[in-house]
Amino acid sequence: MSALQRKAGALHLEGVALEDVARRFGTPCYVYSRSMVEAAFREFDEGLAGVDHLVCYAVKANSNLAILDVLRRMGAGFDIVSGGELARVLAAGADAGRVLFSGVGKSEAEIRTALAARIHCFNVESEPELERLDALAGALGVKAPISLRVNPDVDAKTHPYISTGLAGNKFGIPYGSALEVYRRAAKLRNLEVHGIDCHIGSQILEAAPLEEAVDRVLALADAVQAAGIRLKHVDFGGGFGIRYRDEATIDVAAYTRTLAARMQGRGLKVLLEPGRYIVGNAGVLLTRVEYLKVDKAKRFAVVDASMSELIRPMLYDAWHEIVPVTQSARGEALAYDIVGPICESTDVLGTGRSLAIAGGDLLAILSAGAYAMAMASNYNTRPRPAEVLVDGDKAYEIRSRERVESLFADERTLDAAMKP
Ligand code: LLP
């Protein structure tokens, strides 16, 4: 159930009025619901209860320390893709032994740090990466736990920009050569083969492609084990889609229960890497209307949020619902393009939205918990917004609004740069 509800016309997240959050912390501002994050995590964790498992939250979706902390307390593991994300999860108190390291471009420094931290597993994406890992583990005198990310060549039927499991994609090791690469990996002295991994894309709305990937990964697991290479786990990735508008989504509780039943008796631990599903619907972006600008051809609501806070609409043509925080009986609804202050025509958060609004009104952009703040930039020297976590009737600031001076604190004028 959504914790986002109207009470006497005023939009609340859990027990907190969003108008109060905006007054206290300013706008634009991201607000997240702790209970919604926990409920979404539980769907995976409880669904897999019948089998040995670890749900590794994909940190890239929303990497705020408080969000990581909420999930850590629930027993989550973490899927990271950079040394920066490793530093974050450790700063949030996570056990390195529950961390997976994914990504196609792990640097030597990142690998060394992750080896020294003794992470759970490296999801290796290429043969050169295997060699680099073997050499670095050897130099440190440790064994690197590895899993190969295979590309199962399954069409996730999602936006091409976020589809990752098709042949010809930069991700993973081609399915057809995976067995051979496993044989090689098993011979490298400083590696220890632990598992198989795949991830076919994001915002997936149908269970069929995910199930097809499971079939292919399990067939490969059988072949690898038949070749005498023992596996400890299989990682089926993330990708579970959420409702932004009116999409029918995968029933995660049912899906994971079926998966657990299927994995029963195989002696393989099940890993998942969901990101968006855990945090996506748990967050909103609050923004105030600066001006209503009426043109012959169009009506614009110019708001104080922009593509620098939320790039998804411009980058993927993504649709985020936009609603007034306080429902006033004022006037009839008119169609507005909701645009930000950035000097780009693509700085649009929503088009043709029917709203009864006036200058100064507060709007909430929904389903903004995933790939939102995490992808925010400082374009136009805009400080990134504050983030707030709501827990019952309390609201906690979990990140302060950036200060303008900190945006150029690492820069120098020419005079300063030329000083010896
Ligand atoms: N594991 C790996 C290896 C991934 O690359 C990703 C996401 C995930 C797990 C988590 O996927 P999720 O459960 O969140 O779908 N910025 C885009 C989404 C990019 C997803 C990248 N990889 C967006 O805003 O839609």
Side-chain angles (χ1 to χ4, degrees):
M1 201 189 75
S2 177
L4 185 72
Q5 278 175 347
R6 274 192 201 283
K7 295 177 192 163
L11 201 59
H12 284 62
L13 192 58
E14 301 193 20
V16 175
L18 290 175
E19 195 69 69
D20 290 344
V21 174
R23 256 195 300 272
R24 232 176 111 190
F25 303 103
T27 55
C29 172
Y30 277 104
V31 196
Y32 312 116
S33 155
R34 177 177 183 176
S35 71
M36 285 182 76
V37 170
E38 290 176 339
F41 176 80
R42 237 179 260 123
E43 283 186 55
F44 292 98
D45 203 35
E46 287 174 4
L48 293 175
V51 67
D52 188 16
H53 70 276
L54 183 63
V55 180
C56 294
Y57 167 65
V59 172
K60 64 168 83 70
N62 184 327
S63 54
N64 184 289
L65 292 192
I67 298 286
L68 302 179
D69 192 15
V70 163
L71 289 163
R72 177 191 64 79
R73 289 163 191 241
M74 298 193 75
F78 296 97
D79 173 55
I80 60 160
V81 289
S82 69
E85 287 189 351
L86 176 59
R88 268 183 188 280
V89 298
L90 297 178
D95 168 8
R98 297 169 95 81
V99 171
L100 305 176
F101 196 169
S102 299
V104 288
K106 301 174 194 81
S107 71
E108 293 197 351
E110 287 175 321
I111 291 174
R112 263 193 223 104
T113 313
L115 282 171
R118 300 242 181 264
I119 64 162
H120 186 59
C121 195
F122 290 85
N123 288 337
V124 174
E125 301 229 10
S126 66
E127 289 189 71
E129 186 188 333
L130 269 186
E131 284 155 22
R132 177 178 277 187
L133 202 47
D134 181 58
L136 294 172
L140 284 175
V142 296
K143 288 226 184 293
I146 65 125
S147 171
L148 294 185
R149 174 171 177 184
V150 298
N151 183 340
D153 194 14
V154 168
D155 185 357
K157 300 199 177 70
T158 182
H159 193 290
Y161 286 12
I162 51 176
S163 185
T164 51
L166 273 174
N169 210 288
K170 77 170 172 181
F171 296 102
I173 289 166
Y175 191 82
S177 37
L179 185 55
E180 195 186 311
V181 182
Y182 268 104
R183 285 208 176 93
R184 250 201 95 195
K187 286 195 200 111
L188 291 173
R189 285 200 303 154
N190 308 304
L191 301 185
E192 207 166 79
V193 175
H194 279 210
I196 300 193
D197 164 50
C198 78
H199 172 77
I200 61 170
S202 197
Q203 186 54 17
I204 298 169
L205 294 167
E206 291 170 41
L210 288 172
E211 281 159 2
E212 206 182 319
V214 168
D215 289 343
R216 303 206 67 173
V217 165
L218 289 180
L220 180 61
D222 289 341
V224 170
Q225 308 224 71
I229 301 167
R230 216 180 79 71
L231 297 174
K232 295 182 176 163
H233 74 244
V234 276
D235 176 349
F236 299 115
F240 304 86
I242 61 168
R243 174 172 297 178
Y244 285 98
R245 191 174 192 173
D246 50 12
E247 303 89 335
T249 57
I250 295 167
D251 179 345
V252 166
Y255 174 84
T256 45
R257 270 198 307 273
T258 309
L259 183 60
R262 186 154 180 207
M263 295 304 295
Q264 208 79 57
R266 272 186 168 264
L268 289 168
K269 183 167 180 166
V270 178
L271 269 48
L272 290 179
E273 305 169 354
R276 186 190 320 262
Y277 192 88
I278 290 179
V279 288
N281 283 331
V284 305
L285 172 59
L286 296 180
T287 181
R288 248 184 229 288
V289 178
E290 297 280 11
Y291 307 101
L292 292 184
K293 184 174 172 187
V294 181
D295 186 273
K296 262 189 244 100
K298 274 227 154 126
R299 265 167 219 287
F300 294 99
V302 184
V303 298
D304 64 3
S306 70
M307 61 180 253
S308 67
E309 288 75 32
L310 182 66
I311 201 172
R312 303 195 67 259
M314 104 161 243
L315 195 56
Y316 314 111
D317 251 330
W319 197 94
H320 285 258
E321 191 167 346
I322 303 177
V323 298
V325 168
T326 307
Q327 233 163 17
S328 49
R330 147 190 350 114
E332 58 167 327
L334 297 167
Y336 292 95
D337 281 7
I338 314 296
V339 301
I342 301 247
C343 306
E344 300 268 353
S345 301
T346 49
D347 183 21
V348 177
L349 298 166
T351 54
R353 302 306 175 88
S354 179
L355 292 164
I357 45 173
D361 278 4
L362 185 63
L363 301 177
I365 304 179
L366 309 188
S367 307
Y371 305 111
M373 181 62 168
M375 295 175 81
S377 77
N378 294 118
Y379 189 37
N380 282 199
T381 308
R382 293 172 58 81
R384 279 176 297 174
E387 290 177 289
V388 172
L389 183 73
V390 162
D391 186 5
D393 58 3
K394 299 259 187 327
Y396 303 102
E397 187 176 54
I398 56 171
R399 176 181 177 133
S400 348
R401 184 175 308 284
E402 255 172 346
R403 288 168 309 110
V404 167
E405 313 79 71
S406 72
L407 301 188
F408 52 82
D410 295 327
E411 300 173 29
R412 280 162 203 91
T413 61
L414 207 47
D415 272 347
M418 286 171 154
K419 268 202 198 111

